Amino acid sequence: MTSSGGWRVLAVDDVEPAVGELRRMLDAAPEIGSVRTATDAVTALKLIQAEPLDVVFLDISMPGMDGMELASLLSRMQDPPVVVFVTAYEEHAADAFGIGAADYLLKPVRPERLRAALERVRRFIDTPAPPAKPAVDSLAAVPVELAGRTRFIRRDDVRYVEAQGDYVRLHTPSGAHLVRIPISRLEELWASASFVRVHRSYLLAVPAVRELRSDLSGGLLAHTDVGDVPVSRRHARELREVLLDAATRGVFDGGGS
């Protein structure tokens, strides 16, 4: 889980001076390789979705999604980062450890207390995950921002994904939603949820395919209830095999959920 260059850390706090000071302290720790920061939980979740991280130092009281809600999402990841809460409130400690946090730091954080927390993190990182843990990732619902509000789009509602630079557009019956995450990262996280790459710019939900069609130039299109998805020549045979296998196993409904 840990990169050879040291732990990849994310510090999350809606108070910028507080997250800046925490970053300064973490930068001085020898086991830390890199430290990124976020001032809200939704931004933090996007960063975690976009790249692997080893440890998240997380405030609890934040506007919108709070730290407990974010930690609960992270706990359902297949390979979650270690979580350390950093808060001014003592009363959430039991819930924090119940979620599986490695430690619970009270503000202001003293250097010796941070050192003890890092030792606890080391034990978490060095301990193999239990083999019986279910393989569930944190992207069963994806946060998108609409007119200043955060809405969660269910993965099961996504018919296909279209790459747009460092973003992807999630196409659903309720509309298309732009999310900042590379399509290659989403492909990796959603492979176990029956999403397959059918083009360098498209991921397709296999259960959403109603039929395969030819376009005017002889190319292949996968038809869904929210539009047609181009299938490149190099992916066409693989897609047909995947559809046949899904139909054989009875998990292909030909129309999405």
Side-chain angles (χ1 to χ4, degrees):
M1 176 171 118
T2 307
S3 67
S4 59
W7 299 343
R8 299 154 296 190
V9 175
L10 176 65
V12 188
D13 196 312
D14 63 319
V15 180
E16 291 193 11
V19 77
E21 174 62 14
L22 180 57
R23 179 174 188 168
R24 184 192 66 78
M25 296 175 69
L26 290 168
D27 277 335
E31 52 267 88
I32 306 298
S34 63
V35 182
R36 302 196 67 177
T37 62
T39 54
D40 64 84
V42 171
T43 299
L45 183 56
K46 292 177 180 178
L47 290 172
I48 295 163
Q49 292 169 356
E51 61 180 295
L53 292 167
D54 300 307
V55 192
V56 177
F57 286 80
L58 183 58
D59 188 21
I60 291 179
S61 180
M62 293 184 289
M65 185 195 307
D66 65 26
M68 284 293 181
E69 292 170 321
L70 175 57
S72 180
L73 283 175
L74 298 185
S75 71
R76 297 198 295 272
M77 291 178 65
Q78 185 173 358
D79 187 17
V82 177
V83 172
V84 175
F85 283 103
V86 184
T87 179
Y89 305 97
E90 298 182 2
E91 60 266 27
H92 302 294
D95 291 336
F97 287 116
I99 291 174
D103 210 340
Y104 189 91
L105 303 180
L106 291 176
K107 299 178 181 178
V109 178
R110 304 186 312 276
E112 63 272 17
R113 186 64 184 85
L114 179 60
R115 169 48 48 196
L118 292 173
E119 289 302 319
R120 290 179 63 89
V121 168
R122 183 183 301 281
R123 291 196 291 272
F124 268 67
I125 288 177
D126 291 344
T127 301
K133 183 176 181 179
V136 179
D137 64 61
S138 68
L139 292 180
V142 178
V144 298
E145 296 177 12
L146 299 170
R149 301 179 64 182
T150 301
R151 177 183 176 188
F152 285 86
I153 305 301
R154 295 174 60 244
R155 180 176 55 200
D156 290 346
D157 291 333
V158 178
R159 303 305 196 246
Y160 66 94
V161 179
E162 180 182 3
Q164 295 190 342
D166 291 334
Y167 291 76
V168 294
R169 191 171 294 277
L170 309 179
H171 292 266
T172 75
S174 66
H177 310 279
L178 198 63
V179 177
R180 185 178 176 86
I181 182 173
I183 194 170
S184 58
R185 177 67 171 152
L186 200 58
E187 178 185 12
E188 175 188 345
L189 293 170
W190 281 8
S192 62
S194 297
F195 278 78
V196 297
R197 192 71 164 261
V198 295
H199 187 280
R200 63 185 178 87
S201 299
Y202 290 90
L203 287 179
L204 177 65
V206 171
V209 180
R210 293 188 168 183
E211 63 180 5
L212 298 179
R213 299 174 173 175
S214 295
D215 62 18
L216 295 177
S217 63
L220 188 65
L221 297 173
H223 177 62
T224 78
D225 61 345
V226 299
D228 291 336
V229 181
V231 181
S232 68
R233 291 182 183 274
R234 66 186 295 259
H235 291 291
R237 180 176 179 179
E238 178 186 357
L239 177 60
R240 288 189 173 98
E241 291 175 351
V242 168
L243 291 173
L244 179 60
D245 178 67
T248 302
R249 290 185 292 112
V251 297
F252 173 60
D253 63 19
S257 54

